[in-house]
Amino acid sequence: MIADIHTHLLPGVDDGSPDLKTSLKMLEALEAQGITRIAATPHFYANHDSPELFLARRDSAAAALRQAWRGNADLRLGAEVYYFEGISDCEALESLVIEGTDLLLVEMPPAPWPERTFRELQEIHRKRKLIPVIAHLDRYITPLRSHGIPEKLEQLPVLVQLNAESLLRAGSRGMALRLIRQGRIHLLGSDCHSMGRRSPNLAEGWQVIGRKLGRAAQEELLRLEDSLWTKN
């Protein structure tokens, strides 16, 4: 079973799907690709929104989507939480994890990051017993400039998510495959926002991994994904 750990398909919650019709098409596209587990992770910005208002908006959109949807995939709610100073002390963190897991999807600021940022990520795990998942690592590094981020993250109690798009672009494919081969990528996501420019494309990313790194690389990622998704 394949999971999309990072999507923006809830209708009208953030800059992702604008309406219910689009959300249903996105879900249908993911299911058609064989994606059986889907995390809905709308953006949460602590400096713009309160957790209470965000969760009410998210849950209302999810209820409408679930009522209209006739698919079979396991749809769970979460959030893509933009990093902020003191995040490890935020009392609402547990309500922002992906349902049924300890995974907190965290969007980081532009690189490079100061040492206190890495310490704060470690504190999320130490204080809250949650596992930060660094969203779309490919956004923060390039083939020629990594700022030492992959190596530093490897020393922390965090997981790292890669966008499928990085495997589909010629300019970033080599870097993405190298990170997977080094064991520095743990989860994949489409980060889909619509049926247009940022459409569901996770299956294409998995196909690239299979062609370039082989079935064993796919299976290793899927085993980890399965163990995380089924944890209660």
Side-chain angles (χ1 to χ4, degrees):
M1 292 186 286
I2 302 176
D4 192 338
I5 204 75
H6 186 170
T7 73
H8 296 270
L9 51 71
L10 292 183
V13 178
D14 60 6
D15 62 341
S17 172
D19 51 47
L20 186 58
K21 182 178 179 180
T22 302
S23 297
L24 291 170
K25 288 182 178 179
M26 293 170 73
L27 282 172
E28 290 166 2
L30 286 167
E31 279 206 314
Q33 295 174 27
I35 311 304
T36 56
R37 297 163 168 172
I38 301 168
T41 53
H43 291 287
F44 172 70
Y45 300 101
N47 60 337
H48 291 158
D49 213 350
S50 71
E52 295 77 16
L53 289 176
F54 167 79
L55 291 170
R57 191 167 65 250
R58 183 198 69 176
D59 293 353
S60 176
L65 180 58
R66 282 170 166 158
Q67 184 175 16
W69 186 41
R70 297 294 179 264
N72 297 313
D74 180 6
L75 176 63
R76 300 190 188 183
L77 302 183
E80 182 182 5
V81 182
Y82 193 81
Y83 175 89
F84 57 95
E85 294 294 330
I87 186 174
S88 65
D89 293 319
C90 175
E91 295 181 359
L93 278 191
E94 285 76 9
S95 63
L96 299 171
V97 299
I98 296 171
E99 288 180 306
T101 78
D102 296 324
L103 306 178
L104 181 73
L105 188 65
V106 182
E107 180 179 8
M108 300 299 292
W113 308 328
E115 287 302 318
R116 68 176 182 275
T117 298
F118 293 100
R119 290 195 298 270
E120 186 72 8
L121 291 172
Q122 189 168 21
E123 288 296 279
I124 292 174
H125 184 267
R126 188 184 71 83
K127 293 179 181 178
R128 315 307 289 270
K129 309 307 179 187
L130 303 178
I131 303 173
V133 177
I134 306 304
H136 43 57
L137 178 67
D138 42 292
R139 295 273 186 88
Y140 317 120
I141 65 176
T142 69
L144 298 178
R145 191 171 187 184
S146 71
H147 306 285
I149 288 174
E151 293 80 6
K152 290 179 181 178
L153 291 178
E154 196 170 32
Q155 307 305 313
L156 299 178
V158 306
L159 298 174
V160 180
Q161 179 252 315
L162 190 75
N163 274 6
E165 183 66 25
S166 67
L167 291 158
L168 306 180
R169 296 194 310 264
S172 57
R173 185 181 302 121
M175 176 188 72
L177 290 169
R178 183 170 62 254
L179 289 168
I180 293 171
R181 192 163 47 241
Q182 293 169 343
R184 289 174 171 156
I185 300 299
H186 310 103
L187 295 160
L188 298 182
S190 68
D191 195 8
C192 56
H193 279 62
S194 71
M195 288 301 295
R197 185 174 63 88
R198 300 177 70 178
S199 61
N201 61 1
L202 190 59
E204 297 175 69
W206 278 105
Q207 289 167 8
V208 172
I209 295 173
R211 289 198 307 270
K212 299 295 186 178
L213 301 181
R215 179 62 185 171
Q218 290 178 318
E219 290 177 347
E220 184 174 352
L221 285 169
L222 287 170
R223 279 194 296 270
L224 175 59
E225 182 183 274
D226 186 62
S227 69
L228 294 168
W229 190 265
T230 55
K231 183 177 180 179
N232 294 305

